[in-house]
Amino acid sequence: MRVTDIVRCEACPVRRMPVFRPFSPAELELVGKLKIGQRIADPENDIIGADADAGVVFTIFEGWAYRYLDYGPDKRQILDLLLPGDLIGLDRVLLGTPSSGVRALTALNLCALDGTKLRRVLAEEPTLASALMAKLARDQRRSDERLALLGQGNGAQRIAYLMLDIHERLKRRGLVNGGCPFPLERRHLASALGISGTHVARSLTNLRAAGLATVANGMLLIHNHERLTAFAGFKADGALGETVLI
Amino acid sequence: MRVTDIVRCEACPVRRMPVFRPFSPAELELVGKLKIGQRIADPENDIIGADADAGVVFTIFEGWAYRYLDYGPDKRQILDLLLPGDLIGLDRVLLGTPSSGVRALTALNLCALDGTKLRRVLAEEPTLASALMAKLARDQRRSDERLALLGQGNGAQRIAYLMLDIHERLKRRGLVNGGCPFPLERRHLASALGISGTHVARSLTNLRAAGLATVANGMLLIHNHERLTAFAGFKADGALGETVLI
DNA sequence: CGGCTTCTTGATCAAGGTCAACCTTTGTGG
DNA sequence: CCACAAAGGTTGACCTTGATCAAGAAGCCG
């Protein structure tokens, strides 16, 4: 990971995304003191891994990443996709023990925060602590839906659900402007959804043939949002007012 | 749900379980003020559901429950099993919106806490807030492993993993005394693990035949812990020092 | 003793995994 | 500019896992 010029919190573009609630000047100043730098990471490089810094939390400025667990060679489960505005490494700072790995999917631009200081700030600033607790509770609900998806859905439904989830999250962040970015390859979908790469390809073909959605050139095209939603059993939970740390 | 005699926090048996960190007298007094009653629930009754009280958090004194999401008739995903000492309904109090359902698996004895007051206390007591945040982060990790299990494991491995998870959690709470309770029926295992009841039965037979574990009469017998662990790819994460609210 | 629910077991079938061939795109060096 | 290699995507053949349906067996009450 390389270092680059720092962005001042007051000027940060992520904070202006529609999902996130506005900070008070006091909170903004507090969080500003946590910022220790800006980082760049290349695709398929670990952000959090064996060698990574244990006392740092990141916020994604730009690019995608994923959390994963490894189970021997060629046995990886992608747990979640991380989009601009998402936090990386909070659990490690809270628990102090190694966590799931986090890896860049595309080129990443990250904002680095001092984890040790963050713990101290949380102990003094109940508003921030409550906001983070709410964020953790929301993440749990997303996890729950993902679990139900793997427990109940077939291959095509899993893909459809993930498409809608991504689309929704990007839209809330104002990142769907005439085309939804979708840099996931077949193998990423496969390890995120617990199906083989071959079957991902087949199911994608089926979704396209059914006039539901198409993935091509790193972009997602949803042809019929309503039918896709019905097919996947997707239900957007409309979580607004998240907290971003910048 | 019926009401029964109240148990004073200082005398609560759950607080003495080995998993939970001891409370300071100040914390104990604080939490004591939150307690609003004791409840009894019968098997297969909803604790948190459409009609349930929105501003209450429960701690399990005795018995098992499960969190679930429904997807139409005969399409239920059990998200997690809740054992004595576990919290129920925290996310609803934090987020203020309906959450997954929670249902009694066995007869349940619950401690009821005032959710609104809890929010207030969290805003004043950073220690408690930190402890709850850590609990949320730990729950997320358990969720992650469960997700990987559904994504990567076959039927028998899923069952084996769940056996070990339950066994570990009960042991940490001091509830495995010459026999591990296991009140789950085939259909519960099926909806928790995303496989059919028929296949659960078959896989249980296989696990027994392989000399790994047996379930009978509501009890779990692990014949060979080491081989079962290897088979399931299970890894206990050794989370001690959780926080219990009583 | 029925009448219930749960557990077991077998037969059949569909969903999806594995393997392999081939195609397309992209990048690289001559 | 072309040749070639490497990586990803598509498609087909075949086989395993597990779902579904169905028929007994075993408990468990009233």
Side-chain angles (χ1 to χ4, degrees):
Chain A
M1 261 195 308
R2 284 160 286 133
V3 175
T4 179
D5 286 346
I6 215 162
V7 173
R8 302 223 354 105
C9 291
E10 293 78 5
C12 169
V14 172
R15 294 192 52 257
R16 276 192 280 280
M17 290 176 179
V19 228
F20 302 115
R21 72 173 177 85
F23 270 11
S24 72
E27 284 174 320
L28 192 57
E29 195 200 332
L30 211 62
V31 173
K33 284 190 192 142
L34 298 177
K35 180 148 185 183
I36 54 181
Q38 195 87 7
R39 311 280 175 86
I40 301 281
D42 293 324
E44 298 302 331
N45 276 77
D46 274 341
I47 312 300
I48 303 267
D51 59 334
D53 205 333
V56 182
V57 174
F58 300 102
T59 306
I60 302 184
F61 256 44
E62 200 183 355
W64 293 28
Y66 58 86
R67 293 198 305 117
Y68 67 89
L69 285 175
D70 271 340
Y71 292 94
D74 298 336
K75 273 267 183 202
R76 157 168 309 173
Q77 177 69 40
I78 292 183
L79 302 166
D80 202 3
L81 296 168
L82 306 174
L83 308 180
D86 283 336
L87 267 179
I88 296 177
L90 179 61
D91 65 319
R92 184 194 284 232
V93 165
L94 288 177
L95 298 179
T97 52
S99 58
S100 57
V102 179
R103 183 164 291 191
L105 179 70
T106 68
L108 267 189
N109 189 343
L110 300 165
C111 166
L113 301 171
D114 186 318
T116 317
K117 273 192 201 155
L118 173 61
R119 288 181 61 118
R120 224 176 303 138
V121 168
L122 286 179
E124 291 160 9
E125 201 55 45
T127 324
L128 213 58
S130 289
L132 268 193
M133 246 185 291
K135 180 209 156 29
L136 288 167
R138 262 193 307 272
D139 284 352
Q140 182 66 59
R141 290 195 181 174
R142 267 174 44 77
S143 256
D144 287 349
E145 301 212 346
R146 193 163 277 268
L147 192 71
L149 183 67
L150 293 206
Q152 308 287 345
N154 63 22
Q157 285 176 312
R158 297 185 197 192
I159 295 177
Y161 189 99
L162 187 136
M163 287 173 167
L164 290 163
D165 182 43
I166 293 288
H167 180 75
E168 180 70 22
R169 288 166 70 197
L170 287 178
K171 213 169 64 180
R172 279 203 214 118
R173 288 164 166 78
L175 295 174
V176 178
N177 304 309
C180 178
F182 201 82
L184 295 159
E185 290 170 6
R186 305 291 181 267
R187 62 198 162 97
H188 296 119
L189 289 171
S191 39
L193 300 173
I195 52 183
S196 70
T198 307
H199 198 58
V200 168
R202 262 193 279 267
S203 301
L204 278 175
T205 307
N206 294 343
L207 286 175
R208 191 182 329 124
L212 293 177
T214 302
V215 171
N217 308 318
M219 300 293 284
L220 165 65
L221 258 166
I222 296 181
H223 302 309
N224 189 325
H225 197 283
E226 197 177 336
R227 282 212 296 134
L228 190 64
T229 305
F231 176 73
F234 180 81
K235 182 174 58 68
D237 74 343
L240 289 180
E242 297 180 23
T243 292
V244 62
L245 290 179
I246 295 285
Chain B
M1 262 197 304
R2 284 159 285 136
V3 175
T4 180
D5 287 347
I6 216 161
V7 173
R8 300 219 3 98
C9 292
E10 294 77 7
C12 171
V14 172
R15 295 192 51 257
R16 278 192 280 279
M17 291 177 178
V19 227
F20 302 115
R21 72 175 176 85
F23 270 12
S24 71
E27 284 175 319
L28 193 55
E29 196 201 329
L30 212 59
V31 173
K33 284 190 192 145
L34 298 177
K35 180 150 186 185
I36 54 180
Q38 196 88 6
R39 311 280 176 85
I40 301 281
D42 293 323
E44 298 303 330
N45 275 78
D46 274 342
I47 311 301
I48 302 264
D51 60 334
D53 205 335
V56 182
V57 173
F58 300 101
T59 306
I60 301 183
F61 257 43
E62 198 182 358
W64 293 27
Y66 57 86
R67 291 197 309 117
Y68 67 91
L69 285 175
D70 270 341
Y71 292 94
D74 298 336
K75 273 268 181 197
R76 157 168 310 173
Q77 177 69 40
I78 292 182
L79 301 166
D80 201 4
L81 296 167
L82 307 174
L83 308 180
D86 282 337
L87 266 179
I88 296 177
L90 179 60
D91 65 320
R92 184 194 285 231
V93 165
L94 289 177
L95 297 180
T97 54
S99 59
S100 57
V102 179
R103 184 165 290 191
L105 179 70
T106 69
L108 268 189
N109 190 344
L110 301 166
C111 167
L113 302 171
D114 186 318
T116 316
K117 273 192 202 154
L118 173 60
R119 287 182 63 118
R120 223 177 302 140
V121 168
L122 287 180
E124 291 160 10
E125 201 55 46
T127 326
L128 213 58
S130 290
L132 269 192
M133 247 184 294
K135 178 210 159 26
L136 287 166
R138 264 193 305 272
D139 284 352
Q140 182 66 59
R141 289 194 181 175
R142 268 176 40 78
S143 256
D144 287 350
E145 301 212 345
R146 192 163 278 267
L147 191 70
L149 184 67
L150 294 206
Q152 308 286 346
N154 63 22
Q157 285 175 313
R158 298 184 196 192
I159 295 177
Y161 189 99
L162 186 136
M163 287 172 167
L164 290 162
D165 181 43
I166 292 287
H167 180 75
E168 181 70 22
R169 288 166 71 197
L170 287 177
K171 213 169 67 182
R172 279 203 214 120
R173 287 163 168 78
L175 295 174
V176 178
N177 305 308
C180 178
F182 202 81
L184 295 160
E185 290 170 7
R186 305 291 181 269
R187 64 196 162 99
H188 296 121
L189 290 171
S191 39
L193 300 174
I195 51 182
S196 70
T198 307
H199 198 58
V200 169
R202 261 192 276 268
S203 301
L204 278 174
T205 307
N206 294 344
L207 287 174
R208 192 181 330 127
L212 293 176
T214 302
V215 171
N217 309 317
M219 299 294 285
L220 165 65
L221 258 166
I222 295 179
H223 303 307
N224 190 325
H225 198 285
E226 197 176 336
R227 281 211 296 134
L228 190 65
T229 305
F231 175 75
F234 180 81
K235 178 175 60 67
D237 74 343
L240 289 180
E242 299 181 21
T243 291
V244 63
L245 290 178
I246 296 286

